[in-house]
Amino acid sequence: MSETDLPSPPWDRNRRRPAPAKVPLTRDRIVDAAYTVLDREGYDRFSMRQVALELGVAVSALYVHVANKDELFELMYNRTFVGEELPDPDPENWQEQIKEFARRGRARLRQHRDLARISMAHIPFTPELLPHVERLMAIFRSSGMPDLVAAMAGDLLSTYIEGFCLEESMWLERYRDMDEETWETKRTEIMNYFAELPPDRFPNMVAMAPYMVDESNDYRFELGVDILVRGLASYIPAR
C-alpha cells in the first residue's frame, strides 16, 4: 500500500484544507472560453450562459468584463488579428502581397467554426485595428491605383474572403460526416447531371460540365483572388 492509499489519521480529518486558488476572470479567459463554445455549439446556439458554464462562473460575472454578447463577438473578432503583421509596401510586388493577405485572412477565419459570420458583422476601424488597416491601404496605394479605387479595395477583398469562408463552412457543416469516397461519388453524379442536360437548350452548361465541380476550394479561392487583383490592377494608369 502506498502513502497515497493510507487513510487520514482521526486527528487530521477535521483539519481545514486550504481552498484551491481561483484563477482571476479576465477578458482573455472569456474570449478563450467563447471560442470553445463557438466551436462546439456554432453561431446560432452561442450564448453568454454557455460561456459562463464553460468557465464555471455565474453569467453575471461575465458582465463585469463585457457589456453583452455583441461586445464579446467584437473581442473575438479583434483576437483574429493578434500577431498579424503586414509587410512594408512593395510597389513591384503589391499583387502578391495582397494575395498573401487574402490567404492569411482565409486561414484565420477557418480556425474556428462560424468565425466568418462574426467577422462579417464587424469592421476593423477600432483603435486596436486601425494600424492594420493603415498598412493595408499603404500597399494598395503603392500600386499607383487611384485613391477612390484603393479606398474600396480593402472592403471588396474582405467581403470576398468572408463570403467565401462562410459558404465553405456551410458546406463543410452540411457534409461533415461525408468521407472522400462518398464525395467523389456525389461529384460524379453532379457532373453527369450537367452533362446530360439537353445540349440544344443548355449548350454552355453541357460544355462546362467537367469543370463545374472539379476543382478544390483552394483552387477556387486562389482564382477568385486573382480575378480581384487583376481587376484592381486594370485601374492603374499606364506608366
Side-chain angles (χ1 to χ4, degrees):
M1 178 179 292
S2 65
E3 292 183 4
T4 57
D5 296 328
L6 294 175
S8 300
W11 56 85
D12 193 46
R13 291 174 185 169
N14 295 327
R15 184 178 299 173
R16 296 183 63 183
R17 305 293 182 186
K22 291 185 177 181
V23 180
L25 191 60
T26 63
R27 279 191 164 192
D28 282 339
R29 286 191 63 212
I30 293 171
V31 172
D32 290 340
Y35 273 129
T36 299
V37 172
L38 184 68
D39 289 334
R40 183 178 65 237
E41 305 292 339
Y43 182 89
D44 291 325
R45 296 181 60 187
F46 183 96
S47 69
M48 298 294 281
R49 184 174 297 278
Q50 290 280 353
V51 176
L53 287 172
E54 185 66 28
L55 289 165
V57 300
V59 179
S60 58
L62 301 182
Y63 294 116
V64 176
H65 303 274
V66 293
N68 48 43
K69 186 165 70 173
D70 288 339
E71 185 181 12
L72 179 53
F73 281 159
E74 182 178 334
L75 293 174
M76 295 168 72
Y77 172 72
N78 289 350
R79 171 76 71 84
T80 65
F81 292 88
V82 172
E84 290 295 324
E85 292 291 339
L86 286 170
D88 293 331
D90 181 355
E92 301 302 321
N93 195 40
W94 73 270
Q95 294 193 33
E96 184 55 36
Q97 287 184 318
I98 294 301
K99 289 179 180 179
E100 182 60 23
F101 167 80
R103 295 181 192 116
R104 293 174 68 88
R106 179 185 175 216
R108 291 197 306 270
L109 294 183
R110 294 181 67 188
Q111 288 179 347
H112 296 283
R113 179 182 179 184
D114 289 341
L115 186 55
R117 293 181 65 177
I118 294 176
S119 181
M120 293 183 81
H122 294 84
I123 54 177
F125 293 156
T126 60
E128 299 88 351
L129 300 184
L130 279 177
H132 185 87
V133 178
E134 174 66 20
R135 293 184 69 84
L136 180 61
M137 291 298 100
I139 295 175
F140 281 126
R141 296 189 73 208
S142 73
S143 70
M145 69 179 67
D147 282 350
L148 180 60
V149 177
M152 300 295 175
D155 182 59
L156 292 173
L157 185 61
S158 295
T159 300
Y160 170 73
I161 297 169
E162 292 165 343
F164 189 97
C165 290
L166 177 60
E167 181 189 47
E168 191 174 29
S169 66
M170 290 171 65
W171 283 100
L172 288 173
E173 188 71 22
R174 181 175 297 180
Y175 296 109
R176 179 186 294 270
D177 300 324
M178 182 180 292
D179 56 32
E180 186 65 25
E181 183 177 353
T182 304
W183 164 241
E184 288 296 333
T185 301
K186 178 171 283 293
R187 182 166 64 176
T188 301
E189 291 174 350
I190 296 172
M191 291 172 62
N192 290 340
Y193 168 76
F194 288 126
E196 293 169 2
L197 290 171
D200 57 325
R201 296 176 57 194
F202 306 99
N204 295 300
M205 297 189 71
V206 171
M208 293 190 295
Y211 314 109
M212 298 291 277
V213 291
D214 194 42
E215 298 296 345
S216 68
N217 280 346
D218 291 343
Y219 175 85
R220 292 174 61 243
F221 182 80
E222 288 288 333
L223 179 61
V225 172
D226 189 62
I227 291 170
L228 280 170
V229 170
R230 289 192 189 194
L232 292 171
S234 70
Y235 285 89
I236 300 174
R239 296 177 181 175

